[in-house]
């Protein structure tokens, strides 16, 4: 899974993708339809359930700090980590 902000410049392992006959397929989430979002959510949930997606580290934040989580994402402070909003 690749997540990138509008101003970010993520670097892919292009050589490894090429040598293993892999590809990157996706969409711009802000242009996605409801059906596309539901399909993507289903795919992500299947991958999570199968243990195929795992962040390097998790930053738990209470619901009251959603704005802080958003700021951290925009500022690139969560590189390699994921914010998890808890109740």
């Amino acid at each position: 899974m690749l997540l990138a902000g509008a101003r970010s410049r993520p670097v892919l392992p292009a050589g490894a993708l090429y040598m293993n006959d892999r590809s990157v397929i996706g969409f711009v989430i802000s242009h996605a339809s409801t059906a596309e979002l539901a399909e993507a959510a289903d795919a992500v949930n299947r991958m999570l359930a199968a243990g195929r997606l795992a962040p390097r580290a998790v930053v738990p934040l209470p619901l009251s700090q959603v704005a802080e989580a958003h700021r951290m994402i925009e500022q690139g402070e969560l590189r390699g980590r994921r914010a998890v909003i808890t109740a």
Side-chain angles (χ1 to χ4, degrees), residues 17-87:
L17 285 171
Y18 174 75
M19 295 302 291
N20 290 293
D21 195 25
R22 304 281 168 86
S23 59
V24 176
I25 300 170
F27 60 92
V28 178
I29 198 163
S30 58
H31 297 168
S33 68
T34 304
E36 289 169 325
L37 292 172
E39 183 180 341
D42 287 342
V44 169
N45 285 332
R46 282 192 307 274
M47 292 170 73
L48 285 167
R52 294 179 50 205
L53 295 177
R56 293 183 206 138
V58 173
V59 177
L61 295 170
L63 185 58
S64 62
Q65 289 190 304
V66 168
E68 174 64 9
H70 195 274
R71 185 201 62 75
M72 292 171 76
I73 292 167
E74 286 184 334
Q75 298 298 314
E77 295 176 17
L78 291 174
R79 189 172 208 81
R81 302 179 300 156
R82 298 295 173 256
V84 175
I85 305 304
T86 59

Side-chain angles (χ1 to χ4, degrees), residues 8-19:
S8 68
R9 293 198 154 303
V11 178
L12 296 173
L17 285 171
Y18 174 75
M19 295 302 291

